[in-house]
Amino acid sequence: MKHGFIGFGNMAKAIHKGLKKNKKNNFKYISKSSKYKDIELVSSINELVEFSDVIWLCVKPQIIPEILTKLANENFENKLIVSIIAGKKISFIESYLNNDVSIVRVMPNLAIEYGESVTAFCANCDNEIVHNVKTEIKKMGVIAEINEEDFDLFTALYGSGPAFILEVLDTFKFRTEELGVSEDKVNEMIINLLSGTKKYLEKNCYDNSIEELIKKITSKGGTTEAGLKTFKKNKISQSLSEVITSAKNRSEEL
């Protein structure tokens, strides 16, 4: 398939790297940013649409009306628009376009580059090219076909989620530095903590709830129990839930 990117920020780059693993895919992009040597830059949206089977909308929500106005007179026969834009529904895109256009809305995260994304997916139709794109995305992680009205919460949980998890890990990194080990060693330790916890969850989550898995780590009167008591006393779970709600509300505002 031929993929064209309108906008080429961090998420578009991650998607490009994920899709590039399929040698049958070809790529072009248009962006106001600097040139990137591993993908061809085109000079106009018309040129990009003519080249592409799949047009990826990867611009900021604030400028999508300008982009859709430019797209309104293009021919999208046998083509697919894929939007990763937070807060902008398929109906919003449809309202700008004058023809019957196949549109998919997705919400991946940056782990799509490594085949580890959790990606929300919904479409306004079901045809061969939609199926092909869905198959490509499935190769790059877990795909969740959800109702579009749930995208704002999904965006907060799994689009923004990696940043929230890294914020927690940054605290672990800060305290690990007190051990006096090198920065490389600190990073190695943090990565192993995360990967080990992931494997523990993978091996046991189908037979145990997360609450039960926490209890298996916690000895009565021990260090873990002491830490968890402070966790609950300071309502950290509630605070994290509020963080997610703030991100969800911002997605709705966009």
Side-chain angles (χ1 to χ4, degrees):
M1 278 191 295
K2 297 177 181 178
H3 297 266
F5 293 90
I6 299 178
F8 206 66
N10 290 333
M11 186 61 74
K13 291 173 192 172
I15 294 168
H16 171 241
K17 287 178 181 178
L19 290 170
K20 198 166 60 169
K21 293 172 185 175
N22 182 345
K23 302 302 181 184
K24 295 181 180 179
N25 287 329
N26 294 294
F27 307 93
K28 292 185 180 182
Y29 83 107
I30 185 168
S31 175
K32 295 179 180 178
S33 304
S34 303
K35 289 187 178 181
Y36 301 96
K37 60 183 179 181
D38 57 346
I39 182 171
E40 183 180 344
L41 176 69
V42 299
S43 59
S44 70
I45 283 180
N46 176 260
E47 183 182 352
L48 186 88
V49 173
E50 286 186 353
F51 160 81
S52 304
D53 301 311
V54 183
I55 299 100
W56 293 80
L57 299 180
C58 302
V59 297
K60 294 179 180 179
Q62 294 85 348
I63 68 169
I64 188 60
E66 174 188 344
I67 299 300
L68 291 175
T69 299
K70 293 179 180 179
L71 287 171
N73 295 317
E74 298 294 334
N75 181 7
F76 293 101
E77 185 177 359
N78 299 320
K79 298 178 184 291
L80 176 66
I81 290 178
V82 181
S83 172
I84 69 166
I85 302 168
K88 298 302 182 187
K89 293 184 177 181
I90 288 174
S91 59
F92 179 85
I93 298 171
E94 288 174 330
S95 69
Y96 279 82
L97 304 180
N98 297 323
N99 39 9
D100 187 16
V101 182
S102 298
I103 303 171
V104 164
R105 185 180 175 194
V106 298
M107 180 52 63
N109 58 44
L110 288 173
I112 199 166
E113 176 181 344
Y114 315 109
E116 296 286 347
S117 180
V118 181
T119 303
F121 184 101
C122 70
N124 69 346
C125 61
D126 186 13
N127 54 35
E128 184 178 0
I129 194 166
V130 170
H131 174 76
N132 290 340
V133 166
K134 189 188 300 183
T135 300
E136 290 276 7
I137 294 172
K138 283 181 178 178
K139 294 176 184 177
M140 297 185 285
V142 175
I143 192 169
E145 294 188 59
I146 63 173
N147 295 324
E148 193 173 16
E149 55 263 31
D150 295 323
F151 258 63
D152 294 317
L153 177 57
F154 183 96
T155 300
L157 288 166
Y158 294 100
S160 302
F164 302 153
I165 292 171
L166 287 170
E167 182 72 22
V168 173
L169 289 177
D170 196 45
T171 301
F172 276 80
K173 181 177 181 179
F174 174 74
R175 295 305 303 267
T176 302
E177 289 170 350
E178 295 177 20
L179 300 174
V181 298
S182 68
E183 184 173 356
D184 287 347
K185 191 66 177 180
V186 171
N187 289 332
E188 183 183 1
M189 292 164 71
I190 295 300
I191 290 167
N192 226 50
L193 171 67
L194 188 59
S195 63
T197 304
K198 176 192 171 187
K199 288 181 180 178
Y200 174 64
L201 181 60
E202 283 177 338
K203 296 292 185 182
N204 298 285
C205 66
Y206 298 104
D207 298 316
N208 302 270
S209 66
I210 291 180
E211 184 179 4
E212 289 168 338
L213 294 179
I214 292 171
K215 287 180 179 178
K216 290 185 178 184
I217 302 172
T218 307
S219 300
K220 188 173 180 59
T223 57
T224 306
E225 184 182 67
L228 288 173
K229 284 181 178 178
T230 300
F231 202 104
K232 291 178 180 179
K233 179 182 177 181
N234 290 305
K235 299 181 179 179
I236 294 175
S237 292
Q238 181 179 327
S239 295
L240 181 56
S241 182
E242 290 171 359
V243 166
I244 292 166
T245 298
S246 294
K248 173 180 176 288
N249 292 342
R250 180 55 179 157
S251 180
E252 291 173 348
E253 290 169 3
L254 292 171

